[in-house]
Amino acid sequence: MGVAVGTIALLPGCDVLEPYRPARPPSNGALTFHVSPDGDDSEDGLTEETAWRTLGRADRVPFKPGDRLRLKGGERFTGRLAIGAPDAGDARRPVVIDSYGSGRATIAARGTTGISVYNTAGVEIRNLKVVGDAKTHDNKDGIRFFSDLKGGRRLAHVRISGVDVSRFQHGIRIGAARAASGFRHIRITDSAVHGNKDAGLTTYGPRFDADEPSYAHEDLLINRVRAYRNPGDPSADDRNTGSGIILGSLRRATVQRSLSYDNGSRSSSRALEGPEGIWTYDSTRVTIQHNKSFRNRTGSEVDGGGFGLDNNVSSSVLQYNLSYGNDGAGFLVYSGDPTNAHKDNVVRFNYSWDDARRLPWYGGIVAYGTRMRNVDIYHNTVMLRSSGPERPPALRLRDGLRGVSIRNNIFVTDGAPVVDSDTAYTRDRVRLQGNDYFSTNEWALHWGDLRYDNLASWRDGADQERLGPVDTGTSEDPCLVNGAAPVTDRAGAANLVAECAGMLRGTLELRALGVDPGPVDYFGERLSTVPSAGAAGTAAHSRAE
């Protein structure tokens, strides 16, 4: 910034005196500023004809509610933008940063965060590319919102739409240093985050306290976001890296109609935690729905899955999602903290196809952990083919579960165990009812130290697949039309529908058991009173009638 001398300023790097111009022209209302490679930093920036030339000039502006900063579309601007506490927008009159003209403008950061918003909100970032370099890839964020305000005050109104962010440590990162002092009313839509080292998109807050649970951020929507080829850090063995979308420290959040794929390919081989496609931790009331997560990898011997409900997650739902071709679990429900905070979660109407490709000690659906309570897993379809001598099961259960109900699912393998449980759970801790367990080869089920080769002997030996005195469940062929490829869109619905009328036998009416399965199945078809097992049961039921 120039140093004012009366009405004259000496500009850095210059030997001449120029007329002083304030960073922001005097105004009682909102202003729109323009930046163009053909502009002039000595102009006022208020029109396309009097645009500024550099981001550095724009970065001097103290923004007020309703202001707009517009960068010329199709052009590249080197530098960064920083919006701080004195730059005030609000939910009704946000500060907007976007492109004008044809195409999206590019902010090319050099060793810095691309766009930083600190201790303020009421900000919208639209229709921009934000690109980093080798230095930003190590330890900077593409778009960063951060608050360390005291007093438990969440800052309202964050909007990010139509952006493409690449070559940073994190593409988009929203964080807070203190509990309940982050951001609220957050919307991230129609954007892509790719080629970032640690994660495509992430939210986080302070360390979770189970005795006094609090969440930094509130009311988040992520819609139509693509997170792909975020590789991870091969040198980082102290944390997980290489995820697509990570949701931490949230109360009320929805991720929908988004894609996460080809992430984690360079994550550390020594890390004790690995990446996932889309996952949440230290959060409550999170809904992850209508997403696809596929071909995600891990460099270590853990994780690398499609979707996850991780430590300290409560009252959250995984529904209507597709997972396929991942190194680890399709759908992972996990608790590693002895806090009793992982509870009351639901996994329903999802589809896992050929997951656990590299790590067979996972499976299509996996549940385990310390003091995990009250998980409902129902109406999912899992199809797994063996990828080597160690064959992943369709359903993997490990120690630590209590109050878990697993009902009306289809589990299909080609000879691997349909279910593999480390513990021989009794029905007061884990209850399986109304499921179909089918193998195209030899039938196997592992229950603690015992091995079973048919449903009837397991039912008798473990006292599972019973509702009172009535036997439930089946091991019949569900007659899925085509299991050779994943069903990636509605056009392939027939490939996922259980064709056999016999699939109605052994299925439970969940509402009669006090479980609300929701209004629709995996394909959005309205549920019948007693749908058949699996994620797409309505069509089979209607044919059977």
Side-chain angles (χ1 to χ4, degrees):
M1 183 183 294
V3 181
V5 182
T7 60
I8 300 294
L10 180 63
L11 299 181
C14 297
D15 296 323
V16 297
L17 296 177
E18 295 285 350
Y20 171 71
R21 293 186 183 275
R24 176 189 175 88
S27 172
N28 292 325
L31 297 174
T32 297
F33 302 98
H34 302 77
V35 184
S36 167
D38 301 322
D40 186 336
D41 285 353
S42 67
E43 296 285 357
D44 60 17
L46 295 178
T47 68
E48 294 181 25
E49 291 72 25
T50 60
W52 295 323
R53 185 174 60 85
T54 66
L55 289 180
R57 177 64 181 88
D59 205 35
R60 290 169 50 198
V61 177
F63 291 110
K64 292 186 177 181
D67 280 355
R68 174 170 288 188
L69 176 63
R70 310 193 73 194
L71 311 182
K72 188 173 182 179
E75 301 294 345
R76 189 179 185 91
F77 301 90
T78 301
R80 61 123 190 209
L81 291 172
I83 300 175
D87 300 300
D90 61 41
R92 290 174 298 126
R93 296 180 300 160
V95 169
V96 177
I97 304 171
D98 67 358
S99 300
Y100 74 90
S102 178
R104 287 185 290 192
T106 297
I107 294 177
R110 294 293 176 260
T112 67
T113 293
I115 301 175
S116 174
V117 181
Y118 173 62
N119 281 353
T120 191
V123 175
E124 300 189 1
I125 301 170
R126 305 175 184 168
N127 303 319
L128 295 169
K129 288 186 178 181
V130 186
V131 180
D133 60 9
K135 291 183 179 179
T136 65
H137 193 256
D138 284 339
N139 57 15
K140 301 297 181 182
D141 304 322
I143 297 176
R144 180 177 188 252
F145 282 76
F146 182 77
S147 172
D148 57 7
L149 294 175
K150 298 179 181 179
R153 180 168 65 93
R154 294 188 183 95
L155 300 165
H157 195 87
V158 172
R159 299 289 186 271
I160 302 172
S161 64
V163 302
D164 185 293
V165 188
S166 61
R167 297 199 70 195
F168 294 90
Q169 183 180 16
H170 306 91
I172 298 173
R173 196 179 191 206
I174 299 175
R178 295 181 173 85
S181 292
F183 298 88
R184 60 189 175 95
H185 307 325
I186 308 161
R187 304 289 182 267
I188 304 173
T189 61
D190 300 293
S191 296
V193 283
H194 58 98
N196 302 289
K197 185 172 67 173
D198 277 8
L201 189 161
T202 182
T203 70
Y204 69 99
R207 186 175 181 83
F208 183 78
D209 184 350
D211 295 327
E212 297 183 20
S214 185
Y215 307 91
H217 316 292
E218 186 174 75
D219 184 23
L220 165 72
L221 172 65
I222 296 173
N223 191 38
R224 296 187 300 271
V225 168
R226 290 185 300 132
Y228 62 97
R229 290 198 285 274
N230 300 287
D233 183 353
S235 67
D237 56 8
D238 59 340
R239 65 188 192 281
N240 64 75
T241 68
S243 289
I245 297 174
I246 308 174
L247 308 174
S249 200
L250 285 162
R251 181 195 301 275
R252 294 199 310 272
T254 298
V255 183
Q256 62 186 19
R257 298 180 177 87
S258 295
L259 304 176
S260 182
Y261 58 94
D262 294 334
N263 299 293
S265 61
R266 287 178 52 81
S267 56
S268 172
S269 62
R270 301 181 304 276
L272 299 180
E273 318 174 21
E276 299 278 351
I278 301 175
W279 60 288
T280 182
Y281 70 98
D282 293 355
S283 295
T284 189
R285 299 173 64 184
V286 175
T287 299
I288 300 174
Q289 62 183 6
H290 303 293
N291 305 288
K292 299 174 186 176
S293 186
F294 53 96
R295 296 196 307 265
N296 294 294
R297 306 295 179 229
T298 178
S300 71
E301 300 302 299
V302 292
D303 296 320
F307 297 87
L309 302 179
D310 213 282
N311 287 323
N312 305 314
V313 170
S314 62
S315 304
S316 296
V317 182
L318 283 172
Q319 60 184 6
Y320 317 126
N321 300 293
L322 169 64
S323 173
Y324 66 92
N326 296 291
D327 277 0
F331 299 89
L332 176 66
V333 186
Y334 169 75
S335 173
D337 292 341
T339 58
N340 293 318
H342 199 294
K343 59 184 179 180
D344 306 326
N345 297 307
V346 174
V347 179
R348 65 183 185 183
F349 294 103
N350 302 288
Y351 176 30
S352 167
W353 180 87
D354 266 10
D355 285 311
R357 303 308 297 161
R358 179 173 168 269
L359 305 181
W361 43 88
Y362 287 108
I365 296 177
V366 180
Y368 73 101
T370 306
R371 300 184 186 177
M372 184 186 297
R373 297 180 291 143
N374 303 339
V375 180
D376 280 342
I377 300 171
Y378 57 85
H379 279 294
N380 303 282
T381 295
V382 178
M383 300 182 66
L384 285 192
R385 297 177 301 173
S386 299
S387 57
E390 294 187 61
R391 300 178 295 177
L395 173 67
R396 172 84 71 182
L397 305 177
R398 299 181 66 180
D399 298 337
L401 307 180
R402 185 174 297 278
V404 176
S405 295
I406 302 168
R407 293 164 166 156
N408 291 4
N409 303 280
I410 294 176
F411 301 123
V412 179
T413 72
D414 61 355
V418 286
V419 178
D420 193 325
S421 177
D422 290 355
T423 299
Y425 283 111
T426 55
R427 281 195 293 167
D428 61 323
R429 293 184 61 187
V430 175
R431 181 177 304 169
L432 290 94
Q433 297 171 316
N435 303 291
D436 178 43
Y437 313 85
F438 179 72
S439 176
T440 60
N441 206 315
E442 294 181 1
W443 197 96
L445 188 150
H446 299 172
W447 199 247
D449 295 331
L450 299 176
R451 303 292 182 263
Y452 296 94
D453 60 9
N454 65 81
L455 175 61
S457 62
W458 174 61
R459 183 187 284 131
D460 292 339
D463 194 29
Q464 294 287 349
E465 281 299 343
R466 287 197 171 104
L467 181 61
V470 179
D471 291 347
T472 62
T474 179
S475 58
E476 295 183 23
D477 185 350
C479 305
L480 300 177
V481 177
N482 180 11
V487 180
T488 58
D489 56 41
R490 192 181 182 90
N495 293 346
L496 189 58
V497 170
E499 289 280 357
C500 295
M503 287 306 302
L504 289 174
R505 291 197 294 271
T507 305
L508 304 182
E509 183 180 355
L510 295 184
R511 287 187 177 88
L513 300 175
V515 177
D516 180 3
V520 297
D521 69 3
Y522 177 84
F523 289 106
E525 299 293 336
R526 184 166 295 279
L527 290 178
S528 55
T529 304
V530 188
S532 63
T538 300
H541 179 68
S542 63
R543 278 193 293 275
E545 291 177 336

